[in-house]
């Protein structure tokens, strides 16, 4: 059942890539891949319907022996941590394909790579074997590199290679830790259920956990490892940026939760305070740097760093509520970033610039882009954490859950949430409001087709903001079960204080 | 000694695969003499048929009950069968590549194939040789044929220079090897068989004497030359650039596999007393090869030179398995060499195809190729990405197995270095992919702009196409469907008596040492 999520996109990518031109003309490729992505999305929704939210463990498990010598098994399963990420992946793939330019050059390769990535990401979220996860994780490397460096902006070659090297280094870290973990546990299989870190000494656990944090921290990205992100996000075309920010970053946080917290609960409590501060610094840094940007895509890119900081804070706190918040924040950040990048892409296509100094008065009802601007206001608000939208719900749960554990970092994050509002107001002020330049303002019309992805996302953002149960109900049992494995750090600290 | 006993001691059936190759070799030569140039249309296929028959014969000998033959100077155990198979297969694919290449250079094909087959023969005998003279003779057969092949395109000054360089370095390194071997003969009290040497040295009670260490170092100098491990690698870039490309393809796979076969057999059998020493030396060689090969490859502009440094680096990766010295370690080496065959030969086939059509092999000239030749672009990209270890290609699984085996044996720093240098290697492999795929049509190089129309029906192009597609498919799926290859690699180690003894000894020693540590 789950295998379809991986293999439908990958096989159709191969077929699209090799299809003879006579059979399906290049102009139809987009339609074909849209249909494929649609099928996958429907299948994902179907799985979501069948998903039993009361069981904490893996569901719909699949197992095939693959390579015994390596301990590599084809083992899939989905739980509360991954189900929303899967949905996000297939939804954003569909939107990315939909929002891609109809006249893309070399459409065959373009859509094949996107579908390939979609299958690979689904595989990484589904894998129940460390090596299988790593395989799918590395599978994203080359397609993304090609997508950035073929269909990107001006500095795409630089951005592409930078992304490639950072991600490859991240992969090396992750592989080293996986090999180390399995070797130290003495298991002869990389399957999740064979891994138990109980008998690893605390010092080694810490070393391994740090390896995992650095490996996934590059992908998330956390502050000192983030320098690939602005280049890659800005140089990538809008649909690719949606996939990069919406899906790939989630792979990092998912990996951190699943492998960092899931495999090393004891060491996790040791590093948690550092991680909380780290997350807060990330959030503040992202917001402050975003304020200084003059390019709207860059602003959105840095906003992504800030928002991922919240996820780190929530994972560090590891209270049941905070973890639910982390998953919710991952999902809602995916939606918000996707709509922002889509809108920025539309604005760039219509107006021809992304500079804050040149954009002006897009809200103007007749000659501007009023509908797009309205959606931009909405999504900016969602990103800044205005109630009634999904961003607020997620952030509020995160703050509520984290405050008991780490009050100061939480306050810092609240402050950075305020700063987020600041730079989005700057952005909206400089783009949507003001007056149109009479000499330049002859923008092409925005087609309905270009509005649809944004409308879909906006509806989702509002719906989940008003009815947040649908955002959090999937992950509750799983995250509660995860928290149960973490040794209660706060209590011991409190107890010591009381004794004194 | 009566006749029946002698026959059973000779056990000449073990070298049936080599016998087939010899017959093919003679057949090729004689046909060429009788029919002249007209035979060149089908003589390549004759040689391939012979090699395929030899591989079939190897298959039948798998798990032979009595592998020792020629009174102990040749062993046909599973380890040797695997290596002989790799060498024969690489020769077969090399012939597929060379049919057109050699014809175009205006030299005789049959002569080329004959020399190539004798190199194959030398390599195959080397894989099973277990006696000093036998080892030396087969090593020389391989080396001398390789010198001839390197300088085969006589009119090309670069080829001449490469041959001279290869000859001078090769001959001197063989001399060093020979000196080490003669020391072994003396140290062991006049034994030439590997087992007997080990016993002789143990009985002479010289222990870890200076003589033994000198012999070890001299032997490693000879082996390091064959597997082009840094610092014995200096010939590699120049020879790779100057020699005819099919020859390079063979040297990088067949000759290297033969070197590794020799290394495993000689070092594990003869030098158990100084096992830690040769592991240490190989660790140094592996570190140097991985760092130097991968870093210097970054700066190359010629495709063949880049692959030369890449092959130095790949040798470094393979050595990890050898240093580990466990069953998984040796098996991972064998597995990596098997997939290395597919990836490297696929890459070289593409290079040959490109240089046949355009006459150059500079990396910059590949830019914009995807528009003119999608198949070539796809195959070269896949093979280079596989060499870089990108999933789900064969090279990824090969590297994972090597690293996993290394980690299990406690070689953490070596594996970490392997991981880091793999990241570096991705950069220069992807540079070529970038040239071919990413460049815009207006950035196309002059050569690609004038790219000839793709025609597969020209003489000699079909076999190239077949070789390309077979190796491409193998590179793509040998990782995903790797179980048969893994089983083959593992069985070849677990069914080899000689290795089992060493592995057992090593695990016992390490168990004792850990016990001692615990007692302390």
């Amino acid at each position: 059942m789950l295998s379809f999520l991986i293999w439908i996109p990958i096989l159709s990518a191969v077929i699209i890539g090799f299809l003879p031109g006579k059979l399906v003309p290049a102009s139809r490729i987009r339609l074909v891949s849209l249909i494929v992505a649609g099928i996958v999305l429907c299948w994902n929704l179907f799985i979501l319907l069948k998903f039993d939210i009361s069981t904490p463990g893996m569901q719909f498990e699949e197992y095939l022996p693959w390579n015994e010598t390596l301990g590599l098994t084809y083992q899939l399963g989905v739980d509360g941590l991954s189900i929303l990420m899967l949905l996000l992946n297939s939804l954003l793939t569909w939107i990315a394909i939909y929002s891609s330019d109809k006249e893309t050059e070399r459409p065959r390769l373009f859509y094949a790579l996107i579908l390939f990535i979609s299958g690979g990401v689904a595989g990484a979220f589904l894998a129940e074997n460390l090596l299988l996860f790593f395989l799918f994780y590395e599978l994203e490397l080359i397609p993304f590199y090609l997508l950035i460096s073929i269909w990107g902006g001006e500095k795409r070659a630089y951005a592409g290679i930078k992304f490639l090297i950072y991600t490859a280094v991240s992969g090396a870290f992750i592989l080293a830790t996986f090999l180390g973990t399995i070797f130290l546990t003495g298991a002869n299989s990389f399957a999740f259920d064979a891994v138990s870190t109980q008998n690893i000494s605390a010092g080694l656990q810490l070393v391994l956990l740090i390896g995992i944090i650095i490996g996934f921290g590059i992908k998330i990205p956390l502050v000192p490892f983030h320098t690939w992100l602005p280049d890659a996000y800005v140089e990538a075309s809008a649909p690719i940026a949606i996939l990069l920010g919406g899906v790939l970053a989630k792979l990092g946080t998912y990996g951190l939760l699943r492998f960092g917290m899931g495999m090393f609960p004891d060491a996790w409590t040791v590093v948690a305070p550092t991680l909380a501060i780290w997350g807060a610094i990330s959030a503040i840094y992202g917001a402050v740097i975003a304020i200084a940007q003059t390019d709207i895509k860059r602003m959105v890119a840095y906003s992504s760093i800030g928002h991922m900081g919240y996820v780190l804070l929530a994972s560090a706190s590891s209270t049941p509520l905070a973890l639910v918040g982390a998953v919710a924040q991952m999902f809602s950040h995916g939606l918000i970033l996707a709509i922002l990048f889509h809108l920025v892409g539309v604005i760039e296509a219509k107006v021809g610039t992304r500079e804050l100094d040149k954009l002006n008065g897009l809200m103007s009802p007749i000659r501007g882009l009023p509908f797009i601007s309205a959606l931009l206001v909405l999504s900016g608000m969602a990103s800044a954490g205005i109630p009634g939208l999904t961003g607020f719900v997620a952030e509020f749960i995160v703050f509520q859950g984290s405050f008991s554990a780490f009050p100061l970092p939480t306050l810092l994050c609240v402050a950075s949430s305020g700063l987020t509002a600041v730079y989005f107001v700057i952005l909206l002020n400089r783009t949507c409001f003001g007056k149109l330049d009479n000499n330049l303002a002859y923008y092409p019309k925005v087609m309905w087709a270009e509005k649809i992805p944004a409308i879909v996302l906006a509806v989702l953002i509002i719906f989940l903001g008003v009815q947040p149960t649908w955002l959090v109900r999937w992950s509750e049992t799983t995250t509660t079960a995860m928290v149960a494995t973490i040794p209660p750090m706060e209590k011991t600290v409190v107890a010591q204080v009381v004794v004194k | 000694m009566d006749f029946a006993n002698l026959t059973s001691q000779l056990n000449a059936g073990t070298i049936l695969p080599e016998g087939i190759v010899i017959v093919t070799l003679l057949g090729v030569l004689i046909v060429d003499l009788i029919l002249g140039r007209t035979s060149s249309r089908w003589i390549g296929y004759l040689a391939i048929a012979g090699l395929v028959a030899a591989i079939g014969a190897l298959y039948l000998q798998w798990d032979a009950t009595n592998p020792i033959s020629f009174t102990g100077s040749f062993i046909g155990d599973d380890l040797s069968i695997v290596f002989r198979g790799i060498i024969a297969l690489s020769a077969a694919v090399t012939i597929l590549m060379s049919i057109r290449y050699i014809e175009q250079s205006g030299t005789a094909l049959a002569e080329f194939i004959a020399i190539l087959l004798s190199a194959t023969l030398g390599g195959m005998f080397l894989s099973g040789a277990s006696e000093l003279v036998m080892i030396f003779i087969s090593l020389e057969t391989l080396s001398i044929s390789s010198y001839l092949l390197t300088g085969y395109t006589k009119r090309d000054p670069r080829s001449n220079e490469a041959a001279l360089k290869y000859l001078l370095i090769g001959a001197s390194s063989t001399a060093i090897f020979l000196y080490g071997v003669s020391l072994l003969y003396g140290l062991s009290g006049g034994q030439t068989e590997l087992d007997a040497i080990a016993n002789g040295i143990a009985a002479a009670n010289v222990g870890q004497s200076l003589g033994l260490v000198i012999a070890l170092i001299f032997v490693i100098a000879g082996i390091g030359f064959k597997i082009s491990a840094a610092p014995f690698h200096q010939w590699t870039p120049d020879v790779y650039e100057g020699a005819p490309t099919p020859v390079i393809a063979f040297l990088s796979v067949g000759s290297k596999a033969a070197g590794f076969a020799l290394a495993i057999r000689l070092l594990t059998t003869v030098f158990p007393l100084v096992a830690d020493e040769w592991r240490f030396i190989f660790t140094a060689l592996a570190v140097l090869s991985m760092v130097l090969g991968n870093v210097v490859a970054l700066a190359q502009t010629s495709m063949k030179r880049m692959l030369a440094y890449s092959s130095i680096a790949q040798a470094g990766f393979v050595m990890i398995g050898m240093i580990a010295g466990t069953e998984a370690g040796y098996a991972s080496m064998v597995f990596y060499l098997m997939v290395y065959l597919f990836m490297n030969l696929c890459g070289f086939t593409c290079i040959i195809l490109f240089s046949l059509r355009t006459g150059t092999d500079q990396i910059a000239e590949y830019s914009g190729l995807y528009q003119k030749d999608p198949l070539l672009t796809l195959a070269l990209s896949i093979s280079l990405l596989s060499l870089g270890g990108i999933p789900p290609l064969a090279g990824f699984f090969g590297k994972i197995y090597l690293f996993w085996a290394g980690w299990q044996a406690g070689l953490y720093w070596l594996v970490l270095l392997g991981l880091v240098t793999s990241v570096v290697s991705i950069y220069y492999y992807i540079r070529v992919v970038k040239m071919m795929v990413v460049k815009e049509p207006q950035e196309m190089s002059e050569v690609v702009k004038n790219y000839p129309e793709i025609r597969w029906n020209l003489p000699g192009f079909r076999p190239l196409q077949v070789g390309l597609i077979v190796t491409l498919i193998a590179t793509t799926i040998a990782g995903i469907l790797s179980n048969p290859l893994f089983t083959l690699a593992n069985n070849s180690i677990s069914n080899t008596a000689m290795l089992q003894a060493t592995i057992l000894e090593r695990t016992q020693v390490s168990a004792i040492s850990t016990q001692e540590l615990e007692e302390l």
Side-chain angles (χ1 to χ4, degrees), chain A residues 18 66-67 69-70 72 106 134-135 138-139 142 145 149 156 161 164-165 168 172 175-176 179-180 182-183, chain B residues 370 378 390-392 396-397 401 404 407-408 412 416 419 423 427 430 434 437-438 440 480 482-483 486 490:
Chain A
F18 289 101
W66 188 357
N67 193 323
T69 323
L70 285 180
L72 173 62
R106 298 160 73 182
F134 179 74
L135 199 155
E138 287 280 277
L139 213 56
I142 300 300
Y145 166 74
S149 38
R156 57 179 179 274
I161 213 80
L164 181 84
I165 292 172
L175 182 62
L179 289 178
I182 294 300
F183 176 65
Chain B
Y370 76 93
L378 178 76
I390 302 287
F396 170 75
F397 286 83
Y401 194 19
W404 179 221
W407 201 280
Q408 280 175 320
Y412 310 116
L416 287 179
L419 279 170
V423 173
Y427 182 80
I430 202 93
K434 179 177 151 192
V437 183
V438 175
E440 312 273 327
I480 299 166
S482 53
N483 261 337
F486 265 98
N490 287 335

Side-chain angles (χ1 to χ4, degrees), chain A residues 76-296:
Chain A
L76 306 179
V78 63
D79 66 357
L81 205 56
S82 47
I83 182 97
L84 279 185
M85 298 303 112
L86 277 177
L87 183 68
L88 188 68
N89 173 35
S90 48
L91 177 70
L92 293 193
T93 307
W94 189 83
I95 285 178
I97 294 175
Y98 191 93
S99 65
S100 61
D101 192 354
K102 282 208 181 73
E103 268 102 60
T104 313
E105 278 174 52
R106 298 160 73 182
R108 226 169 268 282
L109 188 60
F110 184 75
Y111 294 110
L113 289 176
I114 289 188
L115 286 175
F116 195 79
I117 286 174
S118 167
V121 171
F125 284 133
L126 287 171
E128 266 194 76
N129 180 304
L130 297 179
L131 211 51
L132 188 68
F133 172 86
F134 179 74
L135 199 155
F136 281 120
Y137 185 82
E138 287 280 277
L139 213 56
E140 265 72 85
L141 188 63
I142 300 300
F144 259 120
Y145 166 74
L146 292 176
L147 284 173
I148 294 174
S149 38
I150 299 179
W151 294 274
E154 219 155 89
K155 274 168 62 192
R156 57 179 179 274
Y158 171 75
I161 213 80
K162 200 166 173 183
F163 167 81
L164 181 84
I165 292 172
Y166 270 83
T167 316
V169 170
S170 140
F173 267 104
I174 292 167
L175 182 62
T177 2
F178 282 179
L179 289 178
T181 313
I182 294 300
F183 176 65
L184 289 171
T185 53
N188 49 8
S189 162
F190 281 85
F192 281 2
D193 36 15
V195 185
S196 80
T197 55
Q198 302 294 334
N199 43 12
I200 302 182
S201 71
L204 279 177
Q205 280 204 30
L206 204 59
V207 171
L208 293 171
L209 181 60
I210 289 173
I212 284 193
I213 292 175
I214 296 177
F216 287 112
I218 293 173
K219 201 83 159 195
I220 291 177
L222 297 178
V223 155
F225 313 122
H226 69 286
T227 48
W228 63 271
L229 178 138
D231 292 306
Y233 281 22
V234 173
E235 294 308 320
S237 60
I240 307 311
I242 290 175
L243 285 180
L244 259 179
V247 182
L248 209 64
K250 305 305 167 296
L251 213 51
T253 44
Y254 170 81
L256 199 61
L257 279 174
R258 170 81 78 204
F259 304 110
M261 180 191 286
M263 290 198 318
F264 304 100
D266 297 328
W268 186 262
T269 48
V270 179
V271 295
T274 323
L275 283 185
I277 295 170
W278 198 349
I281 292 174
S282 250
I284 296 271
Y285 175 89
V288 171
I289 301 289
I291 291 178
Q293 300 305 314
T294 56
D295 177 327
I296 48 177

Side-chain angles (χ1 to χ4, degrees), chain B residues 70-121:
Chain B
F70 292 97
T71 61
S73 54
F74 188 86
I75 299 183
D77 53 10
D78 286 355
L79 184 73
S80 82
I81 290 178
V82 165
F83 276 105
R84 284 143 86 195
I86 291 176
I87 294 163
L89 198 58
S90 70
V93 181
T94 307
I95 293 176
L96 285 178
M97 300 177 190
S98 52
I99 292 176
R100 177 71 195 180
Y101 190 95
I102 296 300
E103 284 287 296
Q104 193 146 322
S105 72
T107 38
L109 181 65
E111 224 170 281
F112 179 84
I113 291 177
I115 306 174
L116 182 69
L117 286 180
S118 34
T120 314
L121 213 52

Side-chain angles (χ1 to χ4, degrees), chain B residues 202-452:
Chain B
N205 219 0
V206 283
Q208 300 174 328
S209 70
L210 188 63
L212 192 60
V213 172
I214 291 176
L216 171 71
I217 291 171
F218 282 8
V219 163
I220 287 181
I223 293 171
F225 166 76
K226 270 275 160 272
I227 60 178
S228 58
F232 308 107
H233 70 283
Q234 278 100 340
W235 59 277
T236 321
D238 295 327
V239 170
Y240 274 44
E241 199 178 15
T245 321
V247 175
I248 301 313
F250 178 76
L251 286 185
S252 72
V253 180
S255 171
K256 197 166 267 192
F260 275 112
L262 171 66
I264 294 183
R265 197 169 292 275
L266 195 59
L267 295 177
T268 54
T269 333
V270 177
F271 295 104
L273 283 174
V274 285
D276 289 335
E277 279 77 3
W278 71 253
R279 291 220 158 79
F280 176 74
I281 297 175
F282 264 87
T283 312
L285 295 188
V287 169
L288 277 176
S289 306
M290 285 193 284
V291 172
L292 186 133
N294 281 315
V295 173
V296 180
L298 291 174
Q300 301 308 314
T301 53
S302 150
M303 194 71 194
K304 282 160 82 176
R305 245 185 131 77
M306 189 201 87
L307 281 177
Y309 281 105
S310 130
S311 91
I312 296 171
Q314 303 281 346
F317 292 132
V318 178
M319 276 186 262
I320 294 179
M322 178 138 179
I323 299 159
T326 54
E327 194 167 326
Y330 290 120
S332 66
M333 266 178 87
V334 171
F335 179 76
Y336 198 80
L337 283 172
M338 285 193 279
V339 293
Y340 185 63
L341 180 137
F342 297 126
M343 352 192 239
N344 233 25
L345 293 185
C346 181
F348 274 114
T349 311
C350 297
I351 294 169
I352 289 177
L353 206 50
F354 186 75
S355 77
L356 282 179
R357 285 180 179 152
T358 62
T360 165
D361 46 38
Q362 293 294 312
I363 293 177
E365 303 288 353
Y366 280 78
S367 76
L369 189 64
Y370 76 93
Q371 287 205 315
K372 302 281 182 154
D373 198 341
L375 175 66
L376 182 59
T377 310
L378 178 76
L380 191 52
S381 308
I382 294 277
S383 65
L384 289 178
L385 293 178
S386 177
L387 280 168
I390 302 287
L393 305 170
F396 170 75
F397 286 83
K399 263 189 198 164
I400 286 276
Y401 194 19
L402 275 174
F403 291 159
W404 179 221
W407 201 280
Q408 280 175 320
L411 309 168
Y412 310 116
W413 294 109
L414 211 54
V415 172
L416 287 179
L417 185 72
L419 279 170
V420 171
T421 47
S422 294
V423 173
V424 176
S425 80
I426 290 176
Y427 182 80
Y428 61 80
Y429 290 127
I430 202 93
R431 207 158 58 105
V432 181
V433 178
K434 179 177 151 192
M435 278 292 167
M436 295 187 296
V437 183
V438 175
K439 293 283 179 186
E440 312 273 327
Q442 60 269 23
E443 291 171 302
M444 228 183 249
S445 67
E446 279 308 308
V447 180
V448 174
K449 268 183 201 150
N450 305 324
Y451 204 72

